[in-house]
mmCIF file of all heavy atoms in Angstrom:
data_model
loop_
_atom_site.group_PDB
_atom_site.id
_atom_site.type_symbol
_atom_site.label_atom_id
_atom_site.label_comp_id
_atom_site.label_asym_id
_atom_site.label_seq_id
_atom_site.Cartn_x
_atom_site.Cartn_y
_atom_site.Cartn_z
ATOM 1 N N PHE A 197 62.438 -26.285 -27.329
ATOM 2 C CA PHE A 197 63.300 -25.720 -26.309
ATOM 3 C C PHE A 197 64.310 -26.745 -25.838
ATOM 4 O O PHE A 197 65.420 -26.445 -25.398
ATOM 5 C CB PHE A 197 62.577 -25.064 -25.165
ATOM 6 C CG PHE A 197 62.222 -23.615 -25.345
ATOM 7 C CD1 PHE A 197 62.036 -23.103 -26.587
ATOM 8 C CD2 PHE A 197 62.309 -22.742 -24.280
ATOM 9 C CE1 PHE A 197 61.805 -21.781 -26.876
ATOM 10 C CE2 PHE A 197 62.025 -21.354 -24.472
ATOM 11 C CZ PHE A 197 61.771 -20.858 -25.726
ATOM 12 N N TRP A 198 63.829 -27.979 -25.844
ATOM 13 C CA TRP A 198 64.724 -29.091 -25.342
ATOM 14 C C TRP A 198 65.912 -29.222 -26.311
ATOM 15 O O TRP A 198 67.077 -29.402 -25.960
ATOM 16 C CB TRP A 198 63.957 -30.382 -25.265
ATOM 17 C CG TRP A 198 64.780 -31.552 -24.790
ATOM 18 C CD1 TRP A 198 65.333 -32.518 -25.615
ATOM 19 C CD2 TRP A 198 65.135 -31.868 -23.462
ATOM 20 N NE1 TRP A 198 66.071 -33.447 -24.831
ATOM 21 C CE2 TRP A 198 65.967 -33.080 -23.503
ATOM 22 C CE3 TRP A 198 64.907 -31.344 -22.168
ATOM 23 C CZ2 TRP A 198 66.467 -33.683 -22.398
ATOM 24 C CZ3 TRP A 198 65.402 -31.958 -21.067
ATOM 25 C CH2 TRP A 198 66.194 -33.076 -21.179
ATOM 26 N N GLU A 199 65.534 -29.068 -27.612
ATOM 27 C CA GLU A 199 66.562 -29.144 -28.671
ATOM 28 C C GLU A 199 67.550 -27.986 -28.472
ATOM 29 O O GLU A 199 68.751 -28.175 -28.684
ATOM 30 C CB GLU A 199 65.909 -28.974 -30.037
ATOM 31 C CG GLU A 199 65.135 -30.208 -30.475
ATOM 32 C CD GLU A 199 66.117 -31.353 -30.706
ATOM 33 O OE1 GLU A 199 66.984 -31.203 -31.564
ATOM 34 O OE2 GLU A 199 65.920 -32.431 -30.113
ATOM 35 N N ARG A 200 67.047 -26.815 -28.131
ATOM 36 C CA ARG A 200 67.875 -25.662 -27.981
ATOM 37 C C ARG A 200 68.631 -25.608 -26.659
ATOM 38 O O ARG A 200 69.756 -25.171 -26.608
ATOM 39 C CB ARG A 200 67.060 -24.364 -28.110
ATOM 40 C CG ARG A 200 66.690 -23.986 -29.482
ATOM 41 C CD ARG A 200 65.920 -22.682 -29.481
ATOM 42 N NE ARG A 200 64.731 -22.815 -30.293
ATOM 43 C CZ ARG A 200 63.734 -21.980 -30.230
ATOM 44 N NH1 ARG A 200 63.741 -20.980 -29.363
ATOM 45 N NH2 ARG A 200 62.701 -22.071 -31.073
ATOM 46 N N TYR A 201 67.880 -25.954 -25.635
ATOM 47 C CA TYR A 201 68.441 -25.676 -24.265
ATOM 48 C C TYR A 201 68.520 -26.946 -23.356
ATOM 49 O O TYR A 201 68.912 -26.794 -22.242
ATOM 50 C CB TYR A 201 67.572 -24.685 -23.512
ATOM 51 C CG TYR A 201 67.461 -23.350 -24.202
ATOM 52 C CD1 TYR A 201 66.282 -22.919 -24.808
ATOM 53 C CD2 TYR A 201 68.585 -22.471 -24.274
ATOM 54 C CE1 TYR A 201 66.176 -21.690 -25.413
ATOM 55 C CE2 TYR A 201 68.467 -21.248 -24.899
ATOM 56 C CZ TYR A 201 67.245 -20.843 -25.439
ATOM 57 O OH TYR A 201 67.173 -19.627 -26.064
ATOM 58 N N GLY A 202 68.107 -28.106 -23.876
ATOM 59 C CA GLY A 202 68.038 -29.278 -23.003
ATOM 60 C C GLY A 202 69.414 -29.717 -22.540
ATOM 61 O O GLY A 202 70.437 -29.144 -22.926
ATOM 62 N N GLU A 203 69.410 -30.693 -21.594
ATOM 63 C CA GLU A 203 70.621 -31.119 -20.972
ATOM 64 C C GLU A 203 71.762 -31.306 -21.934
ATOM 65 O O GLU A 203 71.636 -31.920 -22.962
ATOM 66 C CB GLU A 203 70.377 -32.463 -20.278
ATOM 67 C CG GLU A 203 69.740 -32.282 -18.936
ATOM 68 C CD GLU A 203 69.121 -33.564 -18.452
ATOM 69 O OE1 GLU A 203 69.628 -34.649 -18.784
ATOM 70 O OE2 GLU A 203 68.052 -33.501 -17.804
ATOM 71 N N GLY A 204 72.861 -30.733 -21.674
ATOM 72 C CA GLY A 204 74.055 -30.969 -22.482
ATOM 73 C C GLY A 204 74.119 -30.067 -23.693
ATOM 74 O O GLY A 204 75.150 -29.991 -24.371
ATOM 75 N N ARG A 205 72.996 -29.363 -24.035
ATOM 76 C CA ARG A 205 72.996 -28.622 -25.251
ATOM 77 C C ARG A 205 73.968 -27.428 -25.218
ATOM 78 O O ARG A 205 74.512 -27.011 -26.270
ATOM 79 C CB ARG A 205 71.605 -28.070 -25.535
ATOM 80 C CG ARG A 205 70.594 -29.043 -25.782
ATOM 81 C CD ARG A 205 70.917 -29.905 -27.025
ATOM 82 N NE ARG A 205 71.094 -29.085 -28.219
ATOM 83 C CZ ARG A 205 71.473 -29.537 -29.370
ATOM 84 N NH1 ARG A 205 71.696 -30.816 -29.512
ATOM 85 N NH2 ARG A 205 71.616 -28.737 -30.367
ATOM 86 N N GLU A 206 74.268 -26.960 -24.029
ATOM 87 C CA GLU A 206 75.157 -25.765 -23.976
ATOM 88 C C GLU A 206 76.470 -26.068 -24.586
ATOM 89 O O GLU A 206 77.244 -25.141 -24.978
ATOM 90 C CB GLU A 206 75.261 -25.239 -22.587
ATOM 91 C CG GLU A 206 75.855 -26.245 -21.648
ATOM 92 C CD GLU A 206 75.619 -25.900 -20.179
ATOM 93 O OE1 GLU A 206 76.289 -24.978 -19.733
ATOM 94 O OE2 GLU A 206 74.825 -26.561 -19.501
ATOM 95 N N PHE A 207 76.841 -27.337 -24.630
ATOM 96 C CA PHE A 207 78.179 -27.637 -25.176
ATOM 97 C C PHE A 207 78.161 -27.879 -26.628
ATOM 98 O O PHE A 207 79.151 -27.994 -27.296
ATOM 99 C CB PHE A 207 78.699 -28.902 -24.469
ATOM 100 C CG PHE A 207 78.822 -28.773 -22.999
ATOM 101 C CD1 PHE A 207 77.976 -29.465 -22.173
ATOM 102 C CD2 PHE A 207 79.719 -27.854 -22.467
ATOM 103 C CE1 PHE A 207 78.055 -29.294 -20.815
ATOM 104 C CE2 PHE A 207 79.738 -27.679 -21.057
ATOM 105 C CZ PHE A 207 78.917 -28.428 -20.269
ATOM 106 N N LEU A 208 76.933 -27.955 -27.233
ATOM 107 C CA LEU A 208 76.876 -28.256 -28.638
ATOM 108 C C LEU A 208 77.041 -27.093 -29.624
ATOM 109 O O LEU A 208 77.495 -27.402 -30.732
ATOM 110 C CB LEU A 208 75.531 -28.966 -28.904
ATOM 111 C CG LEU A 208 75.527 -30.386 -28.417
ATOM 112 C CD1 LEU A 208 74.102 -31.046 -28.627
ATOM 113 C CD2 LEU A 208 76.505 -31.221 -29.189
ATOM 114 N N PRO A 209 76.700 -25.862 -29.278
ATOM 115 C CA PRO A 209 76.792 -24.835 -30.309
ATOM 116 C C PRO A 209 78.153 -24.842 -30.992
ATOM 117 O O PRO A 209 78.204 -24.773 -32.265
ATOM 118 C CB PRO A 209 76.599 -23.568 -29.552
ATOM 119 C CG PRO A 209 75.772 -23.976 -28.418
ATOM 120 C CD PRO A 209 76.126 -25.347 -28.009
ATOM 121 N N GLU A 210 79.235 -24.919 -30.237
ATOM 122 C CA GLU A 210 80.532 -24.865 -30.875
ATOM 123 C C GLU A 210 80.710 -25.955 -31.869
ATOM 124 O O GLU A 210 81.167 -25.789 -32.969
ATOM 125 C CB GLU A 210 81.618 -24.985 -29.811
ATOM 126 C CG GLU A 210 81.703 -23.726 -28.920
ATOM 127 C CD GLU A 210 81.698 -22.425 -29.692
ATOM 128 O OE1 GLU A 210 82.493 -22.395 -30.699
ATOM 129 O OE2 GLU A 210 80.950 -21.529 -29.424
ATOM 130 N N ARG A 211 80.264 -27.183 -31.470
ATOM 131 C CA ARG A 211 80.346 -28.300 -32.336
ATOM 132 C C ARG A 211 79.537 -28.059 -33.601
ATOM 133 O O ARG A 211 79.959 -28.389 -34.713
ATOM 134 C CB ARG A 211 79.869 -29.604 -31.606
ATOM 135 C CG ARG A 211 80.912 -30.363 -30.966
ATOM 136 C CD ARG A 211 80.562 -31.837 -31.000
ATOM 137 N NE ARG A 211 79.671 -32.158 -29.880
ATOM 138 C CZ ARG A 211 78.757 -33.107 -30.002
ATOM 139 N NH1 ARG A 211 78.593 -33.764 -31.113
ATOM 140 N NH2 ARG A 211 77.983 -33.430 -29.000
#
Side-chain angles (χ1 to χ4, degrees):
F197 268 35
W198 180 263
E199 287 293 302
R200 281 183 226 164
Y201 299 111
E203 278 162 33
R205 295 297 306 175
E206 61 195 287
F207 302 112
L208 283 176
E210 290 312 314
R211 266 213 275 148

